[in-house]
Amino acid sequence: MADRDKILRYFKASGDEELAARLADLAEHARKTSKFKVSEFLDPHGKNVAEIVAANMEGIRLELDGGFPNAERAKAAFVAEDYQGKTDFGLVCYLVKWDKRYYTLGHRDILGAFMGMGCEREILGDIVLVPEGAQFVSDKTFTNYIESNLTQIGAAHVSLQQIAADELQMKEEKVKIISATVAALRLDAVAAAGYGMSRSRMADEIKSQNVKINWKEAKNGAQSVAEGDVISFRGRGRVELSEIRGTTKKGRCSITLKRYI
């Protein structure tokens, strides 16, 4: 219990206390039973929280698995150090196909279909577009529901088949390098430069809770951005502040951004 209390105190200031509590409870259960407990799918920020929880729980080790070789979203398994068995992450892998002659579907369309089915984001791992259609990983607890209901994405009828984990393909991301200058290293200014829009419009998007920084909901447009921070804009991909090059003669900040398309 002392471990859990220490962890929750650490995360209270950052607003991650609820997530940390859920993960700490899983770790405690694993330690008491000398087995393992597995979380829902976590984004990169959630994985960082899980790593801190495991590092501060005596007798626990952390394992992560999202199916894909370079998975962004993954489940966290808290495993008792004396457990010698194999960890079951409860993953099921799928290939979904549609007639590409008539329909063009993207990540947003596929995710939208799941949301329309009433699925929570936490039961889904990554979605990766492949030449045949798209591959995705989900929680096997929902296998029957997904296979019974995922028959259409938008106007396109789709077919769904389970595949082996070793058939999952590595996600390939296109990166666009953007050089820009901003008046200050504020979230609204940096994000506006990365996504090619006005600062005022980006400020509105932030207020509408469409923007995250390091996978956490942005507080406001004025919050500062540091080198290495990742900004995500709903439906528009991610932007990383990869380098702060210095200050121009006019006093503006010169930056380099990576936009992942």
Side-chain angles (χ1 to χ4, degrees), residues 7 11 13 35 38 55 68 73 86 89 106 145 160 177 231:
I7 289 166
F11 283 106
K35 293 183 179 179
V38 180
F68 290 94
R73 297 175 60 82
K86 184 178 179 181
F89 283 85
Y145 184 78
L160 189 65
I177 305 298
I231 302 165

Side-chain angles (χ1 to χ4, degrees), residues 241-257:
L241 177 54
S242 62
E243 184 182 5
I244 301 171
R245 301 196 303 272
T247 306
T248 67
K249 292 180 180 180
K250 294 184 178 180
R252 293 174 64 84
C253 297
S254 181
I255 60 175
T256 299
L257 302 163

Side-chain angles (χ1 to χ4, degrees), residues 113-156:
F114 279 102
M115 299 298 103
M117 288 162 49
C119 295
E120 297 292 334
R121 188 67 180 95
E122 288 75 17
I123 76 164
L124 289 172
D126 290 353
I127 301 169
V128 175
L129 298 177
V130 295
E132 304 91 335
Q135 295 177 338
F136 67 89
V137 180
S138 69
D139 188 318
K140 71 178 181 182
T141 305
F142 296 86
T143 297
N144 290 338
Y145 184 78
I146 290 172
E147 293 181 359
S148 298
N149 290 277
L150 189 62
T151 58
Q152 190 167 330
I153 299 175

Side-chain angles (χ1 to χ4, degrees), residues 11 23 44-56 62 64 76 78:
F11 283 106
L23 297 177
H45 173 68
K47 291 191 289 185
N48 288 337
V49 174
E51 288 170 357
I52 294 171
V53 170
N56 286 277
L62 179 71
L64 295 167
F78 297 93

Side-chain angles (χ1 to χ4, degrees), residues 42-236:
L42 302 171
D43 61 20
H45 173 68
K47 291 191 289 185
N48 288 337
V49 174
E51 288 170 357
I52 294 171
V53 170
N56 286 277
M57 295 286 280
E58 188 176 345
I60 288 293
R61 70 176 188 270
L62 179 71
E63 298 177 8
L64 295 167
D65 193 353
F68 290 94
N70 59 339
E72 181 175 284
R73 297 175 60 82
K75 285 187 171 190
F78 297 93
V79 187
E81 286 184 348
D82 55 352
Y83 178 70
Q84 301 298 317
K86 184 178 179 181
T87 305
D88 181 6
F89 283 85
L91 303 178
V92 59
C93 311
Y94 286 105
L95 171 65
V96 58
K97 296 180 179 179
W98 59 90
D99 194 331
K100 291 193 171 185
R101 294 174 300 175
Y102 306 111
Y103 303 101
T104 301
L105 301 179
H107 182 283
R108 189 175 184 178
D109 301 302
I110 299 167
L111 181 57
F114 279 102
M115 299 298 103
M117 288 162 49
C119 295
E120 297 292 334
R121 188 67 180 95
E122 288 75 17
I123 76 164
L124 289 172
D126 290 353
I127 301 169
V128 175
L129 298 177
V130 295
E132 304 91 335
Q135 295 177 338
F136 67 89
V137 180
S138 69
D139 188 318
K140 71 178 181 182
T141 305
F142 296 86
T143 297
N144 290 338
Y145 184 78
I146 290 172
E147 293 181 359
S148 298
N149 290 277
L150 189 62
T151 58
Q152 190 167 330
I153 299 175
H157 291 282
V158 301
S159 63
L160 189 65
Q161 67 182 75
Q162 287 193 29
I163 59 175
D166 59 12
E167 294 180 64
L168 293 172
Q169 299 179 33
M170 187 172 291
K171 182 179 181 181
E172 294 184 8
E173 292 183 304
K174 297 179 181 178
V175 180
K176 180 180 180 181
I177 305 298
I178 301 169
S179 293
T181 62
V182 292
L185 294 173
R186 292 168 47 114
L187 176 59
D188 52 7
V190 174
Y195 292 102
M197 63 177 59
S198 70
R199 181 169 161 178
S200 60
R201 181 185 166 192
M202 179 53 67
D204 289 339
E205 296 290 352
I206 294 169
K207 288 179 182 177
S208 299
Q209 300 181 333
N210 290 325
V211 178
K212 293 184 177 182
I213 180 165
N214 297 327
W215 292 274
K216 292 185 67 176
E217 187 176 296
K219 297 175 182 177
N220 55 67
Q223 72 183 95
S224 60
V225 184
E227 197 168 273
D229 283 349
V230 177
I231 302 165
S232 51
F233 179 15
R234 186 174 297 169
R236 297 286 295 274

